[in-house]
Amino acid sequence: MSGVVRARQRAAREVADFLRIGPVQVAELELGAGDAPGATLRPGPGSPPVTSGEVFVLVRRAGRPVGTFVGRVPEGADPVEVLAGAARGVGASSAGVSSVGVSSTEVSSAGGVPGGGGPGAASSPGERGGGLVPPSVSVVVATRERAGQLARALDSLLVQDHPDFEIVVVDNAPVTTGTRDLIGRKYGERVRYVLEPVPGLAAAHNRGLAVVRGDTVAFTDDDVIADPRWLTELTTPFAADPGLGCVTGLILPARLRTPAQVLLESHGGFAKGFTPRTYDPGDPPADEPLFPFTAGRFGSGANMAFRTAVLRTVGGFDPATGAGTRARGGDDLYGFVRVLAQGHRLHYTPLALVWHHHRETWRDLETQAYGYGAGLTAYLTATLVNRPALLPAFLARLPRGLAHARALTAVRGAGARGSEVASGRAPGGGSGEGSRGVVAGVPGGVTVGVPGGHDARTHAWPRRLSRLQRRGMLYGPIGYLRARHALRTSGSGLEAR
């Protein structure tokens, strides 16, 4: 049998396996603090009430996110009883943490096992505030011709409990007046509208950065729903640690209705776990030999905040990176590394939560896989072009970096351990830290189901998506250089970074 025929048969099997993936409900379960009786189950944002079947559950204790698991509610059973019984051990050790600091051993992963620590993990500035007043913040939402999704995101932002915030919408290279009309008609003075004619997410974010008034600036996407405490939890760490330049937060799936959404989350989605962690360039983490170049571990652009002065000092985002450019992505990763390279710390907090609407189709996953691969190497190219002093450190890490890239794009079969996949920017790359688990063997039908935790891949990652990501990695440097050239020739300018 020829290689071409075998490849076609393998592709057909992958598509068939993909189409067999069923939907999963999304829900939140509040257990209260410690051994407090009672549990409250509510559907995830925009979801119907929980019924029988598979359920992806975010567990909260006293309102704080502490873990996730996947459970199965049998036909005719009470979802609250089944899921609350399964979740009793999830995050229980976090109930008595102090309000100022949470160590890496005090926050449990979803399986009820304390999250793994390591250098940098114990420092957790401002978790739950400790009476600290969060700094003023401007939220920047870049959008392009997605008024329906944008309205959903803005509605969640306007009910934030932060004491001092503004919202800035950047309309990026629009072809209609839909976004402008939405802001004027529904939101008026509650939301500021800004136009950025140069296409690209980084250019839009830079436009927002230029006009914001807050001491800190937060960025999120138009396809998220923000938890009511998102802004407070994302910005309070800045009040606790003057050396922080950036804070990132937790991203969970808003819906798991299509095979594409379930497959992505089965391989980790965008989550980075439930253990807070601080990355300090002055004390590089021993368990991160590629630090700071594996920026995908630090967070994602849908949930990040910076000190406004710090981000302006480093020049903002490189406008030749990001979605909407030929580089395809990498703008957020570039921002993380530039801030770290300036000597500022970066903190990840799982308390700052947004719910993300994952891509819905196989074609979406193909685009995402290629774009993430391209964005990864594009941001590395941008970093070295704009900060040549980092080249020696990059070259010293290159051999391990190549091994990291191979692991990142490996074909991952069902049941593959998350720890076997190097963490970084990848569709379904996850955190690689066992940050989510599946409660197994619990009476009431909780099973190792879909989507699995970061350490249990319940669906194979298709070879085609791995190949597309590798192709994207090869294209990334070329795409970045083409994007820089396009900016210069268009007269849009390419400010010094």
Side-chain angles (χ1 to χ4, degrees), residues 64-65 97-104 106-107 121-132 229 232-241 244 247-249 274-278 347-352:
R64 62 190 297 148
V97 300
S98 69
S99 59
V100 176
V102 180
S103 76
S104 63
E106 291 174 313
V107 177
S123 176
S124 305
E127 299 298 327
R128 274 299 181 205
L132 295 170
R229 286 193 58 82
T232 297
E233 301 292 2
L234 191 65
T235 56
T236 297
F238 290 112
D241 181 1
L244 275 185
V247 179
T248 63
F274 290 86
T275 300
R277 181 160 191 175
T278 299
H347 180 65
Y348 167 76
T349 173
L351 301 182

Side-chain angles (χ1 to χ4, degrees), residues 384-444:
L384 297 177
V385 166
N386 295 308
R387 191 71 186 271
L390 292 175
L391 183 59
F394 176 79
L395 293 176
R397 293 162 174 77
L398 187 58
R400 287 188 176 183
L402 294 174
H404 171 79
R406 286 194 295 270
L408 200 63
T409 60
V411 176
R412 306 190 288 276
R417 302 298 296 174
S419 58
E420 296 172 358
V421 181
S423 294
R425 173 56 59 88
S431 72
E433 296 174 348
S435 55
R436 260 202 342 256
V438 178
V439 181
V442 179

Side-chain angles (χ1 to χ4, degrees), residues 299-316:
S300 298
N303 192 351
M304 62 183 182
F306 299 82
R307 289 192 193 276
T308 304
V310 167
L311 189 56
R312 285 173 175 168
T313 297
V314 301

Side-chain angles (χ1 to χ4, degrees), residues 290-353:
L290 301 178
F291 179 87
F293 297 108
T294 49
R297 291 191 62 114
F298 307 149
S300 298
N303 192 351
M304 62 183 182
F306 299 82
R307 289 192 193 276
T308 304
V310 167
L311 189 56
R312 285 173 175 168
T313 297
V314 301
F317 303 94
D318 188 323
T321 62
T325 70
R326 297 183 184 183
R328 300 293 193 100
D331 54 305
D332 51 350
L333 308 186
Y334 175 86
F336 299 154
V337 172
R338 284 306 307 270
V339 167
L340 287 165
Q342 285 292 113
H344 302 281
R345 287 184 286 276
L346 183 152
H347 180 65
Y348 167 76
T349 173
L351 301 182
L353 166 66

Side-chain angles (χ1 to χ4, degrees), residues 130-145:
L132 295 170
V133 177
S136 62
V137 59
S138 301
V139 185
V140 174
V141 184
T143 188
R144 188 173 191 269
E145 304 301 339

